[in-house]
Amino acid sequence: MLRDLDAQLMQWLMSGGEPLRQVIRDEVRNRINYYPVLQSALQSRPIDIQRLANAVKECWVFHRSRQLRFRLFIEAEVHAQGLITRLLDELPAYPEAMARHIDEFITEAVTAGFWNEKHQRDYAGAATFASLLLTAYYPAEFVDYPSTSRWADFVARFGYEMPLMESYGKRLLWVSDFGKTLAKQASFSVISLFNEPMWVASGLCWSSGRTDYLDQLSHEEQTSESDLAAFACLSPEEKHRIVWENIVAQPERRARQASYYVRSRQIVLYALERAAGVCEGCGRLAPFVKPSGEPFLEVHH
């Protein structure tokens, strides 16, 4: 199964092309730049709440609406210091106790200010906050946790299924274990040229759910019928040669409203032929048919 995970990871990294790699670089860079600052703020006793607030503000995993909850949370500064210190300094060693400890912090954080605009308890936001603190403070042990659905979709990309668990603490420990497994794969070395692999794994999860690189890929995947016909006439060896040359080549940079990279049409054609009308992500037949009668597939899937 680990060999499959390594292959699936490499396939995802390659199929997303330069747009995906740029998103990964951006996401990982944000963590490498700001998690050490957050870590430094958390190491002081008492915790420097202002330094903490300045660092949290720069962390992309903690988006704007949750920043509002965070500001409410730290209004009672001494209470916030106590809750965070207890979360970090009294973390149990055993998984079951650790999960309960995290869940207790989440409940207390909700009571202290994590409420949404509808005055409903924002347990998901408090869980993300807990994961952010733990990931920065214990960089070898935890990944950040943007949402349950984001992690479930990410692990499903590699053929894994996130089990149903009743608590955020247990979910955070499970995805953190998955992050450790991911970091051991040979393909991970392609994008792990940084100090903390779990920060890189966190960036990968967030990258997989972003739509900007998917938009760029959709733009690049437009192919003509003549392109399809010409590529289909090539021998298997010639197809492999062309695809490999286009993978290793530096992508051409073009400009529209923003800069993006143009992926080779030959790679698109090769992927469509290989798929033969069946989605290689879910294994189902293509849901639509083009005017030519051929099945339509999103190649980046």
Side-chain angles (χ1 to χ4, degrees), residues 111-144:
T111 303
F114 274 81
W115 294 69
N116 63 23
E117 294 78 3
K118 297 180 180 180
H119 302 290
Q120 298 169 331
R121 294 176 174 85
D122 183 15
Y123 287 98
T128 299
F129 179 49
S131 76
L132 178 60
L133 298 173
L134 290 166
T135 303
Y137 198 74
Y138 296 103
E141 298 301 323
F142 293 95
V143 291
D144 59 44

Side-chain angles (χ1 to χ4, degrees), residues 231-244 270 273:
F231 192 78
C233 294
L234 298 175
S235 68
E237 293 77 12
E238 186 69 7
K239 291 173 185 174
H240 280 283
R241 183 188 65 79
I242 291 174
V243 168
W244 176 249
Y270 177 80
E273 183 182 82

